[in-house]
Amino acid sequence: DATLAKLRLVGNRTGVAVWGGTLRATRLAILDNTALGLGAFYGAAEVTVSDSVIRNNGEFAINADEARVHVTRSVLAGSQYAFLCFSSVCDVTRSVVADNDIGFWGQASRGTHANNTYARNGTAFRSGLADSPDAVYDDEVRDNRFVGNDIAVNILGIASSAYRRNTF
């Protein structure tokens, strides 16, 4: 279990990788890492990121694989994928996701995405390939603002997401 606060992680291959346990990250600048800004993998119990900037990190700003990741009041910008969420629970609230090829891509995952701005992405929000029998929907996407994206929302395969009160 770890807490990171008020740090700059710049110019590495990977800024932060979490394998199990918990991480609370606040007021980080994760910048210009060649592959990955933040990774949460295989049993990362709880990764919470708040009030942070994750910008220009090669392929992924955040990559979650079998983890729980919560992002709030943060900026995810300038990567190929701002947030790839695979077989995980990924929540993004009150954040800006901008200038990425793909803003958020959920695969076989669940999450709440609320009060965010998705701007100038190739595809802002992509979900699908999920079939969660215990959930009424896989992603709840509500009260977001989608502006200047090539594609605002792309739903693939089987998914049962709920889109409510968004502005396009």
Side-chain angles (χ1 to χ4, degrees), residues 40-164:
F41 304 107
Y42 311 112
E46 202 79 23
V47 174
T48 303
V49 178
S50 64
D51 305 300
S52 295
V53 175
I54 306 174
R55 184 184 309 274
N56 299 333
N57 290 286
E59 191 172 7
F60 303 102
I62 298 176
N63 184 359
D65 192 339
E66 296 185 24
R68 297 179 62 87
V69 179
H70 312 283
V71 176
T72 189
R73 296 181 312 273
S74 295
V75 174
L76 307 176
S79 297
Q80 184 177 355
Y81 299 89
F83 200 149
L84 176 62
C85 180
F86 181 77
S87 193
S88 297
V89 175
C90 300
D91 302 315
V92 182
T93 57
R94 298 187 308 264
S95 294
V96 173
V97 180
D99 302 312
N100 305 285
D101 293 340
I102 296 178
F104 179 87
W105 188 356
Q107 298 180 14
S109 63
R110 298 183 207 178
T112 299
H113 309 271
N115 303 302
N116 301 302
T117 296
Y118 294 88
R120 300 175 310 278
N121 299 287
T123 298
F125 193 91
R126 182 180 222 175
S127 66
L129 306 176
D131 187 15
S132 304
D134 299 331
V136 174
Y137 45 79
D138 297 300
D139 288 303
E140 181 180 6
V141 183
R142 62 178 163 78
D143 301 311
N144 297 292
R145 183 173 171 251
F146 293 85
V147 60
N149 302 287
D150 291 337
I151 299 170
V153 175
N154 186 357
I155 302 169
L156 303 169
I158 50 175
S160 53
S161 300
Y163 295 86
R164 298 183 176 100

